[in-house]
Amino acid sequence: MANILQPTEKNLRELRKFLFLGGIVGVPTETVYGLAANAFDPEACSKIFEAKRRPANDPLICHISGVEALEQICHSNALAIRLANRFWPGPLTFVLPKKEKIPGLVTAGLDSVGVRCSAHPVFQKLVALCDFPLAAPSANPFAYISPTTAQHVKAGLGSKIEYILDGGPCAYGVESTIVDLRDESQPRILRYGALPTEKIEAELGRSIEKPVATTADESVQHLAPGALPKHYSPRTPLDLRGGIAPEEIQNLSPDTAALLLSKPTQKVSANVHWLSENGKLDEIAANLFAKLRALDESGYHRIIAEEAPELGLGLAINDRLRRASFR
Ligand code: AMP
Ligand code: MG
């Protein structure tokens, strides 16, 4: 069973050594917990795929200490440097042409690499100690709900890994926003995430291409690797609604959980749950995965959930809810 380690200087130094020797470690970031390995070591990175049962065609994001380390692993460009200066450290991942040193296994055979610089103070310390980039996807069994605490990582992967570095609950609770910057003249959002796309557009002074929404009738082959329609999923079937009417809440069957965006004003039964006190999107995002896990473990036959407004963080929240509801 994995040990949860506190972020003492000594533990961080020992984990650096463990990673250098080819180990994999659960790590905190400001988005979700990651499962990290030395990105230059294909054998170490293969353990990530094995532990998560992640398909080999789903590339890993590499974590670096800052904009000055970009050229270590990829061919950057002026747009990447501009966005890094504005949004790093933070929940924004760039896709850029990879350098030779990054093994093909990390990028699922693609000639591009996903790269990010995390703002989590504990993870930043670990990355700074490592003289190699850390490849780290989310620390969950493939397609299950992403972890936002060290305990979630232990519950999902505890029997497969030795160490989890505890950095407390994740501040954002949804994954990073991914932007394809291979062609500077045509940046594209590949995944909605914790950094709202409006902020990127405001910085660039122009609108940028968005991912196609995932719907039940969309075929998998049109999607980028990793952008699978079924993801972030509880085992309990989840139905996503534009909204949930008060009458439906009053007449809810006991085997069904309702997941509302904000606390209802009327008195409700114990199977009615909510993601925030008053509908703030950052609070909804931060609670989303932990709440889905808790509901999944409560024995309900069905979960009905409400869509967030399609604005700001709401796009990332709805993206996760849609994939969670895909059957
Ligand atoms: P996660 O497992 O949440 O860390 O997500 C990693 C995701 O990043 C993958 O599933 C891809 O969608 C995306 N990604 C990583 N590297 C690349 C790449 N080189 N090209 C396109 N997408 C990438
Ligand atoms: Mg993931």
Side-chain angles (χ1 to χ4, degrees):
M1 222 356 128
N3 279 308
I4 295 182
L5 300 180
Q6 292 313 304
T8 62
E9 300 293 330
K10 178 170 184 292
N11 282 343
L12 288 168
R13 274 198 311 274
E14 297 307 321
L15 286 176
R16 183 231 163 248
K17 200 185 292 174
F18 184 75
L19 286 161
F20 178 72
L21 295 173
I24 58 174
V25 177
V27 294
T29 84
E30 74 277 40
T31 57
V32 302
Y33 271 71
L35 183 58
N38 176 355
F40 290 149
D41 180 347
E43 214 173 299
C45 291
S46 73
K47 295 177 191 166
I48 294 176
F49 286 90
E50 216 170 289
K52 281 177 61 79
R53 297 182 166 275
R54 183 180 179 102
N57 67 358
D58 196 352
L60 311 179
I61 292 172
C62 294
H63 297 256
I64 59 173
S65 54
V67 61
E68 66 292 340
L70 263 178
E71 282 294 329
Q72 220 190 337
I73 66 169
C74 60
H75 301 277
S76 69
N77 54 41
L79 184 58
I81 290 166
R82 177 169 168 195
L83 290 175
N85 284 331
R86 172 73 178 81
F87 296 112
W88 278 7
L92 180 63
T93 299
F94 306 146
V95 169
L96 286 164
K98 84 172 188 77
K99 286 208 170 142
E100 207 117 325
K101 279 166 86 178
I102 294 292
L105 181 119
V106 168
T107 63
L110 299 170
D111 52 17
S112 60
V113 62
V115 54
R116 150 159 136 82
C117 171
S118 165
H120 196 291
V122 168
F123 189 45
Q124 275 189 337
K125 275 192 186 167
L126 183 64
V127 172
L129 282 177
C130 295
D131 30 15
F132 43 85
L134 292 174
S138 53
N140 51 327
F142 182 69
Y144 192 62
I145 305 163
S146 299
T148 55
T149 65
Q151 289 69 29
H152 292 162
V153 179
K154 189 166 178 172
L157 297 174
S159 63
K160 312 247 172 89
I161 65 178
E162 284 173 76
Y163 302 108
I164 302 162
L165 178 59
D166 195 351
C170 300
Y172 288 97
V174 290
E175 291 79 355
S176 62
T177 302
I178 305 179
V179 58
D180 179 1
L181 299 180
R182 286 172 305 169
D183 178 354
E184 271 191 279
S185 67
Q186 259 189 320
R188 292 189 304 148
I189 301 291
L190 296 179
R191 174 175 79 184
Y192 288 121
L195 182 71
T197 52
E198 292 94 326
K199 291 204 177 167
I200 304 171
E201 291 178 323
E203 168 66 19
L204 299 179
R206 51 173 284 200
S207 81
I208 69 177
E209 200 183 315
K210 314 290 189 317
V212 264
T214 309
T215 61
D217 49 56
E218 194 165 6
S219 64
V220 181
Q221 61 263 33
H222 291 150
L223 298 164
L228 296 170
K230 184 177 166 62
H231 213 94
Y232 316 109
S233 298
R235 286 173 287 268
T236 316
L238 184 143
D239 293 337
L240 188 59
R241 307 281 181 78
I244 303 176
E247 306 81 70
E248 188 167 10
I249 294 170
Q250 294 308 331
N251 301 313
L252 200 63
S253 142
D255 67 359
T256 299
L259 186 55
L260 308 178
L261 296 171
S262 60
K263 187 177 176 178
T265 46
Q266 77 269 39
K267 202 171 171 319
V268 291
S269 49
N271 52 340
V272 178
H273 304 262
W274 50 91
L275 288 164
S276 73
E277 283 298 309
N278 23 22
K280 286 179 72 184
L281 292 175
D282 52 354
E283 193 183 335
I284 293 170
N287 291 327
L288 178 66
F289 288 143
K291 198 73 193 171
L292 283 176
R293 275 172 188 265
L295 294 183
D296 207 21
E297 282 154 19
S298 301
Y300 293 112
H301 290 178
R302 202 162 66 102
I303 301 166
I304 59 171
E306 236 179 358
E307 271 175 3
E310 286 276 317
L311 290 170
L313 262 182
L315 290 160
I317 294 164
N318 288 342
D319 172 78
R320 306 307 186 267
L321 282 169
R322 283 188 198 115
R323 292 180 211 278
S325 72
F326 189 88
R327 302 206 267 283

